[in-house]
Amino acid sequence: MEEIYVEYISEPKLTDPILIEGLPGVGNVGKLAAEHLIDKLKAKKFANIYSRFFPPQVLVGKDGVVRLVSNELFFVKKNKNNQTDIIFLVGDYQGLTPEGQYEISMKILEIAEKFNIKKIFTLGGYGLGRMVEKARVLGAATNPELVKEMKEHGVIFQEGEPGSGIVGASGLLLGLGKIQNIEGVCLMGETSGYFADPKSAQAVLGILTKILDVTIDYSELESKATQIEKITAHIQDLDTLPEKTQDDLRYIG
Amino acid sequence: MEEIYVEYISEPKLTDPILIEGLPGVGNVGKLAAEHLIDKLKAKKFANIYSRFFPPQVLVGKDGVVRLVSNELFFVKKNKNNQTDIIFLVGDYQGLTPEGQYEISMKILEIAEKFNIKKIFTLGGYGLGRMVEKARVLGAATNPELVKEMKEHGVIFQEGEPGSGIVGASGLLLGLGKIQNIEGVCLMGETSGYFADPKSAQAVLGILTKILDVTIDYSELESKATQIEKITAHIQDLDTLPEKTQDDLRYIG
Amino acid sequence: MEEIYVEYISEPKLTDPILIEGLPGVGNVGKLAAEHLIDKLKAKKFANIYSRFFPPQVLVGKDGVVRLVSNELFFVKKNKNNQTDIIFLVGDYQGLTPEGQYEISMKILEIAEKFNIKKIFTLGGYGLGRMVEKARVLGAATNPELVKEMKEHGVIFQEGEPGSGIVGASGLLLGLGKIQNIEGVCLMGETSGYFADPKSAQAVLGILTKILDVTIDYSELESKATQIEKITAHIQDLDTLPEKTQDDLRYIG
Amino acid sequence: MEEIYVEYISEPKLTDPILIEGLPGVGNVGKLAAEHLIDKLKAKKFANIYSRFFPPQVLVGKDGVVRLVSNELFFVKKNKNNQTDIIFLVGDYQGLTPEGQYEISMKILEIAEKFNIKKIFTLGGYGLGRMVEKARVLGAATNPELVKEMKEHGVIFQEGEPGSGIVGASGLLLGLGKIQNIEGVCLMGETSGYFADPKSAQAVLGILTKILDVTIDYSELESKATQIEKITAHIQDLDTLPEKTQDDLRYIG
């Protein structure tokens, strides 16, 4: 097995697909958003990605069956509901080391080239370290035209935000993609960073679906948000969280 | 020397052997169980595995003679007592880094292929972070049929356990093996995680010997258990252990 | 993409250029000095260096446009103002790991060979862990003749300083260069190590410009120094800084 | 430059030399002992070893001249005073990572093979974590015959010591050498582990010179020991040292 092994379940024929990335990160915003969209658009899994840069670990399903931790690729073809073929990148983990993250993102871009992908949307959370009333969606893009286009869709571009840049796959796919002339946008939903945040995921999807011109139902995300709110309602004072935890939560976007 | 160097002492001819792994981990349950079985079945060492992914260290024997830290392979052929040829994987350490753990497990699977191994049993401990009265044996497997078969042998499959998955060789050999169509089972003996736990090892062997249809004597394990109990009897309050230690103990299965 | 990828924007024809390195480090002295000189000499960027040894991160510009973290090469040709062709190495980060730092410095030296570079100046800060009234410039060089020459330009060579050697690119480019018969000098401006230190950068440039026989304006550095002084004026007692931070600040030169 | 680069200054013709290793470690006992012997036997440097597994650092000499951190090989030919050709391995650092330590030790063994080395002596300290009145010299070897021979020279072999094995080059050269049929002995001088310990180095040399049948003068080591004693005399209570430090000191032998 190579350092990164892509196990194809099928090899879909796609026409100029876009790539949407939603790997685990701050508030799991990107992951929640991408998985919801996969579910609603009935996208199909076509590849597993295994790598020694992931944790050395299997996950155990409800049925007691193990599977190696992985990233996964799904696809959906253009249809009445959505205007373009789409490939989704989701998964259990990002690479454990900086070098591993570079390697995995470069492998994803190899796949992007194979499928002739010309545009990438990376989804993530933007951790504020405080409770968020109404999550705005911040953006960053690989060229000024895309910035302008995204602004028209309601994405916020605010000077100096995110000040520390975008760390992890959401950043690397854009940065490395840009070198290879693949354009891309990162959409970041504001979130406290303390909990999984389905509301922020919904905010990100609100923008993304406008861009993609699709309409989807949000009831599962809304019900997840209600659950999280119940769990967190009794937490009065977030400032009592250890500082290190707060920092960690802001780290990978 | 390659990154992982397998030094063969002999090359046994085996017929469809199973592989039993018992490397160091939580409560050293897997190691204690596998070493006991090696001893009772009079298995013979046929290979040493050295690797730069192990600690840079030699161990010094009672006679003052050093040996490089290693993993070891033993074998026993089918005979009156046991129904199948068996290869055992035991050793001083698991790989130090996630990448090292992947590399070593992949090397083991290469060896498994060479010997035509079709089934793997990985043995480990399941750390509860509290004293265990009577250790149950939890399981996970690479397919639903094996789960069913193991349930019939008394293995517990409990939804959401182990919640964090199985980390280390016990997990990787199954997860990577599954990709290569080698089926496998992980048997995890419940243990506090605070001490080496021969009782939990005995519980695991109780199940494993039923599956293998062999009968063995447990007196050495029982006597080790008595020793451990003497040592730990005076420890009144385990909650006074530093939290980090408790977490660490649960980490590698 | 290789482990280190050099993206050439142009391939300038240069005659026996010198290399001046100013990457981030203690007090950002080297970076501030090199960037100021690039600006004043109107040097032009001719290459980006990307690497998996840098953080897995993009930076977001004021316009919302991302770029992968990188090192950069600039050049300026000999003209009325400066007597030699110069290549500058600046950037966002040094390599994250020791191995990465070696790899990147070796790649830089490959580039140095390609351009027939015979002399390297590395610029850095020398952290004292206390406020500095008037920054002296300490030196180190690859041979005694250069030491003598530098002394004549006012560089301080003080036995036992820096006692712990020179860590990072400023050290490696000299040490690795020496093996390849490229001579070099490290100029280190004294600095507290607590803040970015434009004054120390100016002291380093004071020496370097004498060596290069160029005259430049310092008003931007002076105005930056004034800003920093305003920010830090209210900090009364530096000893209240956590000890670890102080150590870190002294680490990479 | 390769991962490990051996720069030969000369290529001495040697007849069945032994290798003596004395790299930095606990109490710097091995380093002090080997350097003293190099000095007394007037051994000559014939190679520098550079590696990206060492710290990314240059050291600055008294004259202001830098050199990249390295390991070094010295040799002395058999003469009236010593009965065998000897190669010495000394240096600034051991490899920073476990993998790096393996790689460097394997490279040393390649060199050992090139020079037809059949026996290795590794020198180190054995940290007791308490003051040592009279340092004994503990041993470990690659075969029982050597253990017996060493006992006759006064080396102590004590069951269960060192319990944690021998970490670093002193262990690896023996362990890896054994696999390649090069025999070896580790001589460990007892030391507190808190300070550089010239007395312990002298104890190790007391044994080693008997084995090698050479006579040397110890006055420099004795004068270093006096200096250290002056410095440490005022330290009353070593138990006040942080525990972590004590552990660290015992780590690399």
Side-chain angles (χ1 to χ4, degrees), chain B residues 1-3 5 7 50-69 93 96-97 100, chain D residues 98-99 101-103 106 139-144 147 157 159 161-162 164-168 171-172 174-176 178-179:
Chain B
M1 203 178 97
E2 307 104 289
E3 293 200 327
Y5 171 61
E7 179 188 49
Y50 304 107
S51 173
R52 68 189 64 168
F53 302 120
F54 294 142
Q57 189 180 354
V58 291
L59 300 176
V60 185
K62 291 183 180 176
D63 54 359
V65 174
V66 301
R67 65 173 187 78
L68 192 58
V69 298
Y93 287 98
L96 284 180
T97 61
Chain D
E99 289 177 49
Q101 294 207 14
Y102 268 96
E103 296 264 10
M106 287 189 274
T142 52
N143 63 59
V147 171
F157 288 81
E159 203 181 306
E161 300 282 358
S164 56
I166 304 166
V167 180
L172 281 184
L174 299 200
L176 288 164
K178 185 178 177 178
I179 297 171

Side-chain angles (χ1 to χ4, degrees), chain A residues 7 17 23 57 68 96 145 153 187 202 210 223 234 252:
Chain A
E7 179 188 51
L23 288 169
Q57 190 180 354
L68 193 57
L96 284 180
E145 294 73 36
H153 286 292
L187 300 175
Q202 188 173 345
K210 265 203 286 179
S223 119
H234 69 283
I252 295 193

Side-chain angles (χ1 to χ4, degrees), chain A residues 148-211:
Chain A
K148 202 180 151 206
E149 193 186 321
M150 291 302 123
K151 279 179 181 168
E152 285 160 12
H153 286 292
V155 181
I156 310 287
F157 288 80
Q158 196 167 305
E159 203 181 307
E161 301 282 0
S164 56
I166 304 167
V167 180
S170 288
L172 281 184
L173 288 173
L174 298 200
L176 289 164
K178 185 178 176 178
I179 297 170
Q180 297 172 38
N181 294 313
I182 302 178
E183 61 177 19
V185 174
C186 180
L187 300 175
M188 291 161 278
E190 289 182 328
T191 178
S192 70
Y194 301 140
F195 318 107
D197 193 342
K199 264 190 175 172
S200 181
Q202 188 173 345
V204 167
L205 285 179
I207 299 277
L208 183 61
T209 52
K210 265 203 286 179
I211 297 168

Side-chain angles (χ1 to χ4, degrees), chain B residues 28-44:
Chain B
N28 261 356
V29 173
K31 183 177 161 83
L32 285 165
E35 287 180 349
H36 187 76
L37 203 52
I38 284 171
D39 187 43
K40 291 298 133 191
L41 298 185
K42 298 188 170 51
K44 276 181 193 146

Side-chain angles (χ1 to χ4, degrees), chain C residues 184-204:
Chain C
V185 174
C186 180
L187 300 175
M188 291 161 279
E190 289 183 328
T191 179
S192 68
Y194 302 141
F195 319 107
D197 192 342
K199 265 191 175 171
S200 182
Q202 188 173 343
V204 168

